[in-house]
Amino acid sequence: MDSLWLHYHTSTLDIVGVKDGDMLLGNGAAANEGRVEIFYGGQWGTVCDNLWDLTDASVVCRALGFENATEALRGAAFGPGTGPVMLDEVECTGSEPSLADCRSLGWLKSNCRHKQDASVVCSNETRSSHTLDLSEELSFALGQVFDNQRDCDLFIHVVGQGPEELDLCAHTLILTANPEAQALSGAPGSNVTMSVDSECMPVVRDFIRYFYSRRIEVSLQSVKCFHQLASAYGAQQLQAYCGRLFATLLPQDPSFRAPLDLYAYALATGDVLLEELCVQFLAWNFEALTQVEDWLSVPTTLLQVLLPRTELTVSSELALLQALDMWSRGTGASHGEVEDLVQHVRFPMMLPEDLFELQFNLSLYRAHEALFQKKIMQALEFHTVPFPLLAQYRGLNLTEDAYVPRMYTSATWSAMVTRDSRNRRNQGLWYGSRYGPYQSFQTPQHPSFLFRTKQMSWTLLYLPTMQSCWNYGLSCTSGELPVLGLTQSGYQDPTIGYENKALILCEGRFVADVTDFEGLKAMIPSAAATNSSRRASTFPCTSGAFSGFRVTIRPFYLTNTTSLD
């Protein structure tokens, strides 16, 4: 067992031998009471009091050497803590050795503030009584009370945007007992009017029932309406729950209708976090977005946000321009709007022969000929003038977005490996029992045409064990595994650097996360939110395991203002 010494010095803890999941009590008047603090990732933090009860508190007390807990306190009873809120919505069974082993939202997934820090009072007294807990049946029983719609003393009139109306009755006593229902709990005998969007009328009954049963089922189709109703009527826990669900539900619609609708909803409600979440998903899955029917319904304002992004996943810059050409023909966007979007196309990332053919194959060229000629000339300079001359005479800022590759998935700049390939050779993918899956491939040294014949050799590695790391001369820790590796060979031009990315794929159809290759390795996130030390994927992979890993090679010129780590 690890040894542990803890000493308080004002707000500083001297730590020796502390490991993730260790706990202590802070700011109590005696050793058996205080604010719950838990260690994770090299620092101490607190626990949010959502769902905090005596069972959870007992896990803390027994871990600290006490018999049980006599009080589970909420609302920062021993003062607010400092540092991150490590855990939220902790639900223990009582037998766990640490809160880290209990069910929760996962490490660092809380939106709580320190005024909600959980606390405990512990005791060495053995309980003389035992508890029969049938509280789970109460949720069902209260839901039945609402469903019966009888003996009510509060009447709720729901009005939609059209002719739709709905009349429901409720019980003041039950609603006033729920802090989330205060906006609906009027005086007995009173009437309450709810105004909702027409599309949300079908879920209003389930929304009000939630205040009775404290349970609700949320789907891809209903999450936006539940979030909207919860925001309007102060149901903060439901609102936060729906907010976390967006990341899980966004990838479930392969038509991209749901992400586009949620983006519009985020703009309308001013929800900046949801807006960025939608933009991130659409950027990482941009190539798939351009291939669905709703591509033509993508608003101009969204493209103005997406096209400047470097972390935009597409097979090539030419494919992006062709998709934009189709969009402009199908949407009737104005000349000025389209020209603004074309400004964000990175013409230097297209080959000279592709640039030449634009005049024959692209309707956008004919409508914006002057702009295209200017951009093509800029690109041809990039392709034909050596780097020292570009920097010396043209005064170009080669760190501008136009000269930086996006995340291109074509075979020219990309390769993929899966974790469970067992065949000796499958479309260039190799697997060795002592090495793990790997794929060797080649790319040009740089997007400039001057480097077209100068190849770099790469090997993308899936490294599941310490032995597989050692076999490739890589240093790995057990906490990193499995990890992706990327080795290169060939002449390394001193004027060129690389910022390579790993695309983490789920179910073979969407990008769930993107990680950087730092040195020779890229960390693989956890497929779903867990209490592990591994960072959770931005968009959870509900299958529980990623389907593949794609590397995109991203070369750039090293200038006085750009250098490698």
Side-chain angles (χ1 to χ4, degrees):
M1 176 180 291
D2 291 338
S3 57
L4 172 66
W5 295 272
L6 303 174
H7 308 285
Y8 265 120
H9 296 299
T10 61
S11 62
T12 303
L13 283 171
D14 297 329
I15 304 165
V16 179
V18 183
K19 60 183 182 300
D20 288 351
D22 283 348
M23 298 174 292
L24 58 82
L25 302 182
N27 214 36
N32 68 317
E33 64 180 23
R35 179 179 58 248
V36 177
E37 305 208 2
I38 188 167
F39 188 81
Y40 173 72
Q43 60 183 329
W44 289 95
T46 61
V47 176
C48 183
D49 63 10
N50 289 329
L51 306 183
W52 186 249
D53 59 21
L54 206 57
T55 303
D56 308 324
S58 293
V59 169
V60 176
C61 291
R62 283 194 287 270
L64 297 177
F66 297 95
E67 290 290 336
N68 52 52
T70 57
E71 293 184 70
L73 303 174
R74 301 186 180 191
F78 289 92
T82 58
V85 179
M86 293 295 192
L87 296 174
D88 193 355
E89 295 190 15
V90 174
E91 294 181 274
C92 301
T93 64
S95 60
E96 296 88 351
S98 167
L99 295 182
D101 301 294
C102 300
R103 181 179 177 183
S104 72
L105 298 181
W107 292 112
L108 301 172
K109 294 292 183 181
S110 177
N111 292 320
C112 288
R113 298 184 181 275
H114 283 298
K115 65 182 180 180
Q116 290 180 260
D117 285 345
S119 303
V120 299
V121 177
C122 303
S123 173
N124 281 323
E125 296 179 4
T126 303
R127 294 180 184 176
S128 59
S129 62
H130 300 273
T131 302
L132 172 64
D133 186 358
L134 301 177
S135 59
E136 288 188 3
E137 297 181 8
L138 180 62
S139 173
F140 175 79
L142 289 173
Q144 290 292 103
V145 170
F146 175 77
D147 293 340
N148 290 336
Q149 291 286 288
R150 292 200 300 264
D151 302 322
C152 304
D153 60 358
L154 181 67
F155 302 93
I156 301 174
H157 183 60
V158 187
V159 181
Q161 293 174 323
E164 310 98 326
E165 292 186 0
L166 177 66
D167 289 305
L168 298 168
C169 73
H171 305 80
T172 303
L173 180 63
I174 295 175
L175 293 182
T176 53
N178 187 339
E180 288 200 282
Q182 298 309 300
L184 291 177
S185 56
S190 63
N191 298 310
V192 175
T193 299
M194 295 178 61
S195 297
V196 303
D197 290 345
S198 296
E199 65 174 318
C200 297
M201 286 290 286
V203 305
V204 171
R205 181 183 293 269
D206 289 337
F207 174 67
I208 299 175
R209 191 182 195 275
Y210 160 74
F211 295 131
Y212 283 68
S213 66
R214 312 287 181 100
R215 291 175 58 86
I216 195 166
E217 292 186 4
V218 184
S219 67
L220 175 63
Q221 291 72 33
S222 64
V223 63
K224 184 178 77 172
C225 281
F226 282 132
H227 185 270
Q228 184 176 354
L229 289 168
S231 303
Y233 292 96
Q236 294 181 358
Q237 291 189 65
L238 178 59
Q239 180 183 355
Y241 179 74
C242 291
R244 293 189 295 271
L245 273 184
F246 286 132
T248 300
L249 298 176
L250 276 173
Q252 293 184 13
D253 184 1
S255 73
F256 285 90
R257 185 69 263 161
L260 293 174
D261 285 346
L262 286 175
Y263 175 75
Y265 168 68
L267 287 182
T269 58
D271 192 325
V272 177
L273 293 178
L274 177 58
E275 178 186 347
E276 177 55 29
L277 190 70
C278 292
V279 170
Q280 186 70 86
F281 179 76
L282 294 170
W284 287 350
N285 293 276
F286 187 81
E287 183 174 359
L289 173 63
T290 64
Q291 297 169 4
V292 300
E293 183 178 351
D294 277 325
W295 165 241
L296 298 182
S297 66
V298 174
T300 304
T301 52
L302 177 55
L303 287 179
Q304 289 171 340
V305 174
L306 287 171
L307 293 190
R309 293 201 165 208
T310 294
E311 285 197 359
L312 197 75
T313 300
V314 66
S315 61
S316 67
E317 199 71 22
L318 176 62
L320 184 153
L321 182 56
Q322 291 169 336
L324 184 60
D325 184 57
M326 181 176 69
W327 177 88
S328 67
R329 287 184 279 111
T331 60
S334 71
H335 184 277
E337 289 174 334
V338 174
E339 189 145 299
D340 286 343
L341 294 175
V342 172
Q343 293 280 5
H344 295 298
V345 177
R346 303 182 179 186
F347 286 82
M349 297 298 109
M350 289 184 268
L351 292 172
E353 55 263 40
D354 292 331
L355 294 168
F356 175 75
E357 292 179 352
L358 293 179
Q359 60 188 309
F360 308 111
N361 302 329
L362 212 67
S363 60
L364 277 177
Y365 184 97
R366 294 183 288 277
H368 305 269
E369 186 170 350
L371 175 61
F372 268 76
Q373 288 179 350
K374 176 183 175 182
K375 292 290 186 180
I376 289 172
M377 181 59 66
Q378 175 192 26
L380 290 176
E381 285 182 344
F382 174 80
H383 282 295
T384 57
V385 179
F387 168 63
L389 292 178
L390 279 176
Q392 181 178 356
Y393 293 110
R394 295 296 299 167
L396 297 179
N397 182 2
L398 294 174
T399 64
E400 289 181 356
D401 289 343
Y403 302 105
V404 179
R406 304 184 199 264
M407 298 190 298
Y408 300 127
T409 60
S410 69
T412 304
W413 297 108
S414 177
M416 192 175 82
V417 69
T418 59
R419 66 186 182 88
D420 53 1
S421 300
R422 290 294 184 269
N423 50 319
R424 183 61 181 161
R425 185 167 188 176
N426 178 17
Q427 298 179 341
L429 180 69
W430 288 75
Y431 183 91
S433 59
R434 296 176 57 235
Y435 292 88
Y438 63 93
Q439 187 176 52
S440 297
F441 62 104
Q442 289 187 321
T443 69
Q445 284 187 357
H446 190 270
S448 170
F449 191 76
L450 296 172
F451 296 89
R452 189 174 191 181
T453 61
K454 300 176 181 179
Q455 298 287 302
M456 288 290 294
S457 296
W458 306 86
T459 300
L460 174 62
L461 316 162
Y462 177 81
L463 304 169
T465 64
M466 298 287 283
Q467 183 65 52
S468 59
C469 288
W470 296 336
N471 290 340
Y472 286 103
L474 299 181
S475 175
C476 303
T477 65
S478 58
E480 292 177 323
L481 300 174
V483 68
L484 296 177
L486 183 66
T487 63
Q488 68 180 54
S489 59
Y491 171 70
Q492 176 69 59
D493 191 298
T495 65
I496 299 173
Y498 294 89
E499 289 183 346
N500 303 323
K501 301 282 187 178
L503 310 185
I504 313 299
L505 309 177
C506 180
E507 300 174 4
R509 66 176 183 84
F510 74 89
V511 178
D513 208 302
V514 174
T515 60
D516 296 324
F517 276 94
E518 297 179 357
L520 302 178
K521 297 183 296 185
M523 298 299 106
I524 299 174
S526 171
T530 65
N531 282 341
S532 73
S533 59
R534 192 178 295 266
R535 177 182 66 84
S537 175
T538 302
F539 301 97
C541 188
T542 55
S543 63
F546 299 116
S547 58
F549 310 93
R550 178 176 292 278
V551 60
T552 62
I553 305 300
R554 301 177 60 247
F556 62 95
Y557 279 132
L558 290 170
T559 69
N560 291 335
T561 58
T562 305
S563 61
L564 288 174
D565 292 334

